Structures are given as C-alpha cells and as structure tokens.
C-alpha cells in the first residue's frame, strides 16, 4: 500500500464493496468519516464535506483504471459478521452504581464511537484504528496533541511523575498535580530532587520532550512565575526565597534566568511588558477565554458556573452547575425565569455579555446534529453521571469518584470525611455525603449555651459537626493554601513554628479518632492560623488572609454547634 495508485484503487474497491454489500450502512459510513476528530486532521475531507452539503461537489467524468495487485491475488477481504456489527454500536464502560472514573470516561469518549464499524479493509491491516497522520519510521506520536490531553499532559522530572494543567500554566499558577498536591514548575523540580538544575523548562519533560521545547513550538503557553505568586501559594512570606539570589531563579521567565545584568534591569523590563500588555489586553482576554474551562454565568439574579467540556447545546448536556444541581442551559433559564418560551443565548450572560457571544467567537461550540457522543446521545448511565460533578469537591481533581445521591457533589473515597469504605460502595442503597447528612439532621442537634461548653464536649458525640466543619474549611480555601504541609515549601518554617499543622493532618487525626474533645480539634485548626501569623509577622497581607479563613471557621462553628452565648452588649 506504499504505492499511491494501489491506495487509490484499494479505496475505490472498498467504496464499491460498501455500496454493493452494505448499502444500508452508507449513512453510518459518512458519519464516521465526518467525525470532528478526523476532519481536524484532514483538510481534504473538510472540503469534501462542505461541497456535499452545499451541492457544489462534482463527480469525476472518468474513474482511474484499476490495476491488478499481485500481492493480494487469491486473498479475500474478511467481511464483518452481523453479530460484530450489532455489538460494535454500543461501547459502554463498566462501573459500580455509586462510582465512576472520570479519566477513563474521557479516554473512552475519544476512542469509542461509530468509527468502530468503519471500513473492513482497515481492520484487515490493523486491529487498532488510527485517524492521526501517518508517522515516519522511528517517529513517536506526540501525545500533547491528542484530544484526551487537551487540558493536561503527563510530565516527569527525575523519578517523579505528575500531570501538568495547561490552563494553570498559562495563568502562572500551580499547574502540576501529584496526587492531591499542586506544585509550580520550580517546586515540582525541587520535589523531584533536581533543584540544582534551576531550569524547569529543561528538567521537566513530557514523553522525553522538554517543556521548553513544547513552549517554543507553541504547544504550551506559559506566564512568568514571580515571587509573589509563590508566596501566595503557601501563604507565608518570601523570606525563604530571599536567602540566596539563586533559589528563586527557576520561578522567573527566561529573560531573568539569562544573566545578572537582566536581573538588574528587571524594573525597566517589567515596565515595557506592562506597556505591551495594555496594547494587547483585548486580544489576550479573548485568548484566555479560549483556554478557560469554567465560566461564571448569571441568569436574572441567580449565579452559576458553566463547564465547557459538558456544553453541547441549549437542550443537551447538563453543563451549568448551581448550588443544588446540574442543568442544561434551557432548563436553567426556565427554572430561574419561570418561563417556557426562553432564549438561553440571550438570557444567560457571562461577565455582562450574552452567552451567544462566546458561541460566535468559537469559545463555546455546539455539537453537530450527527454527533453521537455520550453527551449528545447519552444512555441511562451517562444521564446519571451528568447529575454529579466530574471532579472531587475537596481536592478538585478527577479520578474514581463517589457520587452523592442527594446533591451534585462527588468525592474521592479518602477525601471525604469519614472515608468511604469499599463495603459502602457495594451496597445498593442510596448514599449521602457529610454535607447532606449535616443539613438533614442539623435541627436535631442539641444547642450549646456557650462556646466553652461546646469545646468541652466529647468529640465522639459531635463527630458529624467536626467532619462537616473541616470539609467546609477545605472548600473555603479555594487555592488549597492550608491543605498541605507548609514545610514542603518553606525550609526555614520550622525555625519559627515548632508544631506545623495543616488541614490534611487534622483530617488524618479525625479519621483515626485521635481527638478526645471538640476543643482538641478546634485547637489544631486554630494552630494552623496561629502558625501563619507567627511566620508572617512582617507581612500583614498574608496574615490577613489567614485571619479571614479563621473568621469563616469560627462563624460556621457557632452555626454548627448552635451556640446561644449572649454578648456583653446584649
């Protein structure tokens, strides 16, 4: 098949066979050919599709003569049986009733589909269908161009592995996830023991290719990582970063890494960058919107979030998340405005602009009428999955999730408090998360006259409230600043703080029932914010952030334990 003539004649033979033997599947054939993933790879097929739709396609007056193929004489093409045709139309994942693996769903959605029943000549050559451009001998497929890695790509540094989030990298945020922990590229380099390299663009790789090369070729977009960003991540001062001039170099852009003279002129460089940024502000906003995955939207006085990967059209794909449920755009407008005749493209707005603007700019794209993905043609299992979040409500990452049957939240088994045991998953009865249980039985909790009385209570009698409060703190801390051990980032933190504490450690002690009283639990939570204040005595900005989260906790504590303590003013 290396001969172009053989390829052309083989294709004509295939089409002749399809028209003769499978005429009732011609519509299915064209739907397979015109899959979006295929059209994106082959411009010729895009032109063919457009010419067929607008009626401008012209048949060739004469087809090329068929050449005899010596290597295929005496061989017959194997035709698929009716049983294979029947089974090929449905590709379903296996999962238990209350769990689903989000990452696996995405892989199935990209690979499975009607193309599984395409031309049998392809099956003769290889059992695995491949719609990407042919690779040269010795050349590897670039996984960063695959659809399933549109949002994140696997990366390695030394013997450490993680996933790099493209959008976070473009915004200059912590973008590499290792388990439940997020790292900046420089922090991930140190975590892998490659701090001496001081050049994460060369030490961090994706399938053997450095991030620097991917950035240079335009596969990745990056924003400068500056000291303030790193300090904000850990909510502690940058005193550890200023111990030596070289320790923070890996978090600067390439210009600041080149030489010390560049660092001395950083002020002038920053001013020039600011001026250039003002000139291209409107263009950069559009580019950022293209890479956004979640949009804040409103309808009337109700706010919600629209998730791009779930968006299909107005009536399909539950892409809008409110506090209580997932809805399609049309259902969202109907519920808010209480009207049946709605125009969702105008009624739903994003930053003051109608949703239709995002569609016109191709930031959001409606699926084709021929699309038969799991969002456009969902089965009962897919519809059930659309009722819950695609990522953990605590750590905000995907994976095998446990879905609450009473709210749209989803959790990893070990992120939820208490942990969800395997025996619970095997149970066919409905499962409620801690938030739903707390809301349902809150009225039955006994009231406390004073805060001191609540702190002196045995924690075994109030474990529900304590678990709720810690999960509430996790969600309040949107950037997960207090979630992990701060000593992983700050080498001198132990010189100021004698007992480090963080949310993850408190969760472990709750799960292992190490606390005796409610006061012991509250003391550890307050210790987190006390440590923050002690370390940031000269940085009131960071101290204030800790105070804000602490005030949220204290206020919700009074609500959870129904404190009736009267103030002196009353």
């Amino acid at each position: 098949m290396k001969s172009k003539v053989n390829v052309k004649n083989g294709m004509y033979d295939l089409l002749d066979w399809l028209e003769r033997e499978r005429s009732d599947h011609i519509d299915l054939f064209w739907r397979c050919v015109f899959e979006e993933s295929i059209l994106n790879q082959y411009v010729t097929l895009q032109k063919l599709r457009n010419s067929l739709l607008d009626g401008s396609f012209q048949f060739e007056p004469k087809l090329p003569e068929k050449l005899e193929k010596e290597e295929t004489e005496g061989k017959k093409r194997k035709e698929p049986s009716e049983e294979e045709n029947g089974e090929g139309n449905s590709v379903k994942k296996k999962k238990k009733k209350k769990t689903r693996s989000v990452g696996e769903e995405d892989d199935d959605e990209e690979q499975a589909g009607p193309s599984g029943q395409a031309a049998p000549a392809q099956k003769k050559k290889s059992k695995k269908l491949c719609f990407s451009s042919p690779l040269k001998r010795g050349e590897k497929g670039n996984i960063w161009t695959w659809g399933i890695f549109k949002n994140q790509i696997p990366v390695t540094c030394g013997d450490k592995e993680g996933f790099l989030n493209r959008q976070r990298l473009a915004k200059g945020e912590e973008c590499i996830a290792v388990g439940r922990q997020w790292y900046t590229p420089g922090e991930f380099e140190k975590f892998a023991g490659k701090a001496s390299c001081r050049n994460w663009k060369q030490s961090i790789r994706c399938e053997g290719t450095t991030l620097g090369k991917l950035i240079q070729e335009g596969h990745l977009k990056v924003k400068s990582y500056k000291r303030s960003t790193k300090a904000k991540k850990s909510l502690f001062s940058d005193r550890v970063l200023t111990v030596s001039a070289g320790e923070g170099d890996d978090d600067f852009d390439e210009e600041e890494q080149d030489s010390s003279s560049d660092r001395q002129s950083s002020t002038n460089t920053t001013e020039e960058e600011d001026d250039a940024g003002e000139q291209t502000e409107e263009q950069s906003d559009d580019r950022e919107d293209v890479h956004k995955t979640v949009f804040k939207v409103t309808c009337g006085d109700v706010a919600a979030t629209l998730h791009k990967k779930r968006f299909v059209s107005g009536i399909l794909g539950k892409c809008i998340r409110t506090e209580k449920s997932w809805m399609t755009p049309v259902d969202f407008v109907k519920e808010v405005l209480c009207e049946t005749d709605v125009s969702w493209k105008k009624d739903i707005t994003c930053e003051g602009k109608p949703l239709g603007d995002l569609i016109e700019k191709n930031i959001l794209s409606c699926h084709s009428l021929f699309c038969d993905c799991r969002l456009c043609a969902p089965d009962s299992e897919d519809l059930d999955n659309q009722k819950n979040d695609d990522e953990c409500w605590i750590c905000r990452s995907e994976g095998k999730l446990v879905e609450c049957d009473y709210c749209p939240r989803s959790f990893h088994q070990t992120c939820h408090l208490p942990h969800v045991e395997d025996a619970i998953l095997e149970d066919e009865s409905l499962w409620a998360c801690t938030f739903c249980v707390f809301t349902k039985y809150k009225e039955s909790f006994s009231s406390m006259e004073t805060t001191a009385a609540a702190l002196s209570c045995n924690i075994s009698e109030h474990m529900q409230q304590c678990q709720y409060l810690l999960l509430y703190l996790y969600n309040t801390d949107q950037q997960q600043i207090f979630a992990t051990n701060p000593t992983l980032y700050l080498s001198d933190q132990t010189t100021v703080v004698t007992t480090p504490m963080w949310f993850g450690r408190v969760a472990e002690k709750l799960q292992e029932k190490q606390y005796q009283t409610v006061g012991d639990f509250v003391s550890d939570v307050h210790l987190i914010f006390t440590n923050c204040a002690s370390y940031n005595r000269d940085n009131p900005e960071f101290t204030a952030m800790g105070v804000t989260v602490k005030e949220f906790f204290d206020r919700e504590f009074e609500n959870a334990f129904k404190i009736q303590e009267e103030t002196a003013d009353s």
Side-chain angles (χ1 to χ4, degrees):
M1 281 299 174
K2 293 183 179 180
S3 168
K4 292 184 178 180
V5 177
N6 288 345
V7 171
K8 181 175 290 189
N9 288 332
M11 178 56 68
Y12 279 122
D13 288 341
L14 175 60
L15 295 177
D16 288 342
W17 175 88
L18 177 68
E19 189 175 26
R20 183 178 64 254
E21 303 293 340
R22 294 288 188 272
S23 59
D24 54 335
H25 290 168
I26 289 180
D27 177 68
L28 175 62
F29 169 80
W30 284 114
R31 282 196 287 148
C32 293
V33 173
F34 292 149
E35 282 284 341
E36 184 177 357
S37 58
I38 303 178
L39 293 178
N40 290 338
Q41 292 286 340
Y42 300 102
V43 179
T44 303
L45 290 179
Q46 295 180 17
K47 295 180 179 179
L48 173 61
R49 177 181 180 274
N50 293 337
S51 64
L52 287 173
L53 291 177
D54 60 23
S56 61
F57 178 80
Q58 305 236 343
F59 292 93
E60 294 184 9
K62 184 178 181 181
L63 299 180
E65 295 181 1
K66 300 179 181 178
L67 299 179
E68 296 295 330
K69 304 173 207 172
E70 294 180 358
E71 69 269 20
T72 59
E73 286 183 359
K75 294 183 180 181
K76 297 182 179 179
R77 290 186 174 86
K78 183 179 179 181
E79 298 180 2
S81 63
E82 294 180 359
E83 182 179 357
E84 291 175 338
N85 287 334
E87 295 178 353
N89 285 332
S90 59
V91 179
K92 297 183 179 179
K93 59 172 184 164
K94 295 182 179 179
K95 80 172 186 69
K96 293 182 180 179
K97 182 178 183 293
K98 293 183 175 61
T99 64
R100 61 186 171 118
S101 180
V102 176
E104 294 177 1
E105 282 185 11
D106 296 339
D107 293 346
D108 291 341
E109 185 171 340
E110 288 292 330
Q111 296 176 5
S115 56
Q117 292 186 9
Q122 292 176 339
K123 292 186 177 180
K124 177 182 178 182
K125 184 176 181 181
S126 173
K127 294 182 180 180
K128 183 178 179 180
L129 298 178
C130 180
F131 296 113
S132 60
S133 300
L135 300 176
K136 298 178 181 179
R137 179 174 296 180
E139 184 181 4
K140 295 183 179 180
N142 298 329
I143 68 171
W144 49 83
T145 62
W146 296 2
I148 59 174
F149 295 119
K150 180 179 180 180
N151 295 324
Q152 60 184 15
I153 60 174
V155 294
T156 58
C157 185
D159 59 348
K160 300 299 182 181
E161 299 179 352
F163 280 90
L164 184 147
N165 186 290
R166 294 173 182 259
Q167 288 73 30
R168 284 174 174 252
L169 178 68
K171 296 177 181 179
E173 301 175 352
E174 305 89 355
C175 58
I176 299 179
V178 181
R180 294 178 55 182
Q181 180 61 47
W182 285 95
Y183 298 92
T184 64
E187 292 168 350
F188 181 63
E189 183 182 50
K190 293 180 180 179
F191 175 68
K194 300 289 184 179
S196 59
C197 298
R198 296 195 303 184
N199 190 351
W200 57 266
K201 294 182 181 179
Q202 297 299 321
S203 60
I204 303 178
R205 299 170 177 267
C206 175
E207 290 292 313
T209 303
T210 63
L211 294 190
K213 184 176 181 180
L214 296 182
I215 294 171
Q216 184 178 5
E217 294 178 353
H219 298 295
L220 294 176
K221 294 183 178 180
V222 63
K223 186 177 181 180
S224 300
Y225 283 82
K226 300 183 180 180
R227 297 178 192 268
S228 60
T229 302
K230 185 171 183 177
K232 184 176 180 181
K233 165 65 178 71
S234 53
L235 198 59
F236 295 99
S237 67
D238 55 357
R239 111 179 39 166
V240 67
L241 301 178
T242 58
V243 173
S244 63
E247 288 184 8
D249 289 348
D250 52 8
D251 287 331
F252 290 102
D253 54 12
E254 290 181 343
E255 290 79 2
E256 293 172 323
Q257 291 180 356
D258 289 340
S259 64
S260 60
S261 61
D262 290 337
R263 298 189 188 96
Q264 294 174 356
S265 61
S266 60
T267 303
N268 295 334
T269 303
T270 302
E271 292 177 356
E272 293 176 359
E273 290 177 352
D274 291 341
D275 293 338
E278 292 177 359
Q279 296 175 2
T280 61
E281 182 177 356
E282 185 176 351
Q283 296 178 354
S284 62
D285 288 344
D286 290 340
R287 286 196 297 268
E288 285 187 7
D289 287 342
V290 171
H291 295 287
K292 273 186 180 179
T293 58
V294 180
F295 300 86
K296 294 182 179 180
V297 297
T298 57
C299 181
D301 58 351
V302 179
T305 55
L306 185 147
H307 295 248
K308 185 175 181 178
K309 68 179 181 180
R310 282 186 173 219
F311 178 75
V312 173
S313 64
I315 59 175
L316 293 175
K318 295 182 178 181
C319 60
I320 294 183
R321 167 69 149 85
T322 64
E323 288 292 331
K324 297 182 179 179
S325 64
W326 284 90
M327 291 182 284
T328 65
V330 170
D331 291 337
F332 177 53
V333 176
K334 287 182 177 179
E335 180 171 305
V336 174
L337 303 181
C338 299
E339 298 177 0
T340 56
D341 186 13
V342 297
S343 177
W344 60 274
K345 293 183 180 180
K346 296 180 180 179
D347 295 331
I348 302 177
T349 59
C350 177
E351 298 181 356
K353 298 180 180 180
L355 204 62
D357 285 1
L358 298 181
I359 298 175
E360 291 179 0
K361 295 178 181 179
N362 292 325
I363 297 173
L364 293 177
S365 57
C366 297
H367 287 207
S368 167
L369 295 176
F370 292 106
C371 181
D372 57 355
C373 68
R374 289 178 174 173
L375 293 173
C376 295
D379 55 23
S380 58
E381 186 176 354
D382 295 329
L383 288 174
D384 185 63
N385 286 338
Q386 291 185 30
K387 296 178 181 179
N388 289 82
D389 298 337
D390 297 322
E391 60 183 23
C392 177
W393 201 76
I394 300 300
C395 68
R396 295 174 181 81
S397 61
E398 298 180 347
K400 184 178 181 181
L401 301 174
V402 185
E403 302 172 343
C404 179
D405 291 307
Y406 298 91
C407 75
R409 299 183 183 92
S410 298
F411 305 87
H412 290 123
Q413 288 182 247
T414 56
C415 287
H416 185 268
L417 288 175
H419 293 176
V420 183
E421 304 296 337
D422 292 336
I424 297 179
L425 300 181
E426 297 173 357
D427 189 354
E428 295 183 358
S429 59
L430 299 179
W431 178 77
C433 68
T434 294
F435 290 93
C436 294
V437 174
F438 175 81
T439 302
K440 182 177 181 180
Y441 295 104
K442 179 181 177 181
E443 297 300 325
S444 63
F445 294 152
S446 57
S447 302
M448 297 291 175
E449 294 183 358
T450 63
T451 301
L455 296 177
S456 63
C457 292
N458 192 313
I459 197 171
S460 61
E461 301 175 359
H462 301 276
M463 183 63 73
Q464 185 71 52
Q465 289 106 310
C466 294
Q467 291 171 343
Y468 162 78
L469 285 170
L470 188 56
L471 293 180
Y472 174 85
L473 276 179
Y474 265 113
N475 185 253
T476 302
D477 183 19
Q478 291 289 329
Q479 296 180 342
Q480 300 186 356
I481 297 172
F482 300 104
T484 55
N485 188 351
T487 59
L488 296 176
Y489 308 99
L490 304 168
S491 58
D492 71 335
Q493 205 249 6
T494 53
T495 62
V496 180
V497 176
T498 57
T499 307
M501 188 59 61
W502 59 97
F503 290 163
R505 179 58 183 148
V506 178
E508 290 176 3
K509 297 177 74 172
L510 266 182
Q511 181 66 23
E512 297 171 3
K513 300 180 180 180
Q514 296 183 20
Y515 295 117
Q516 297 298 322
T517 65
V518 175
D520 296 337
F521 161 73
V522 174
S523 295
D524 272 357
V525 174
H526 283 173
L527 180 60
I528 298 174
F529 308 116
T530 302
N531 291 344
C532 175
S534 299
Y535 192 83
N536 291 281
R537 292 173 182 172
D538 300 329
N539 293 273
E541 178 184 356
F542 301 116
T543 303
M545 294 174 67
V547 171
T548 300
V549 180
K550 180 181 180 297
E551 290 176 351
F552 275 114
F553 172 77
D554 292 339
R555 186 162 53 249
E556 193 62 23
F557 179 85
E558 294 181 359
N559 176 44
F561 282 86
K562 303 167 69 174
I563 306 296
Q564 297 179 345
E565 186 176 27
E566 294 183 356
T567 61
D569 294 338
S570 61

